[in-house]
Amino acid sequence: MNAASKRLDAMRANPRADWQIADVEVVARALKIAIRKSGGSHVVFSHAAVATRLTVPSRRPIKSIYIVRFVEFVDEIRGTS
């Protein structure tokens, strides 16, 4: 099991932990999810397999609702692949 899978499992188990945007980006890169940072206060994640996009504020720590949404986004991608 690689580091991205371990982080995703940890996010799934404990979305209230002190997650940083870098943790989310590690998982996104491993799953080939496009990351768009326009220099603002948010990061946008997208994938060709799904029509939805996920916008996450990049402040620290990331609120648990955004981690839950990211995990759901990953599950949606995996379901269509």
Side-chain angles (χ1 to χ4, degrees):
M1 187 181 279
N2 62 16
S5 294
K6 287 181 183 179
R7 265 191 208 163
L8 182 60
D9 290 341
M11 286 178 183
R12 192 180 308 278
N14 187 7
R16 293 184 186 267
D18 187 21
W19 295 108
Q20 308 289 322
I21 197 67
D23 298 316
V24 178
E25 289 175 357
V26 166
V27 175
R29 282 190 193 96
L31 297 173
K32 310 248 187 294
I33 296 172
I35 303 168
R36 188 182 78 207
K37 292 192 231 181
S38 60
S41 62
H42 289 72
V43 178
V44 180
F45 298 95
S46 62
H47 193 274
V50 294
T52 58
R53 292 184 184 157
L54 178 67
T55 303
V56 178
S58 58
R59 3 181 169 121
R60 296 176 297 220
I62 298 173
K63 291 184 179 181
S64 62
I65 187 64
Y66 293 106
I67 299 300
V68 169
R69 288 179 183 168
F70 180 75
V71 170
E72 290 171 353
F73 183 69
V74 168
D75 291 342
E76 184 180 358
I77 291 168
R78 287 182 168 176
T80 60
S81 297

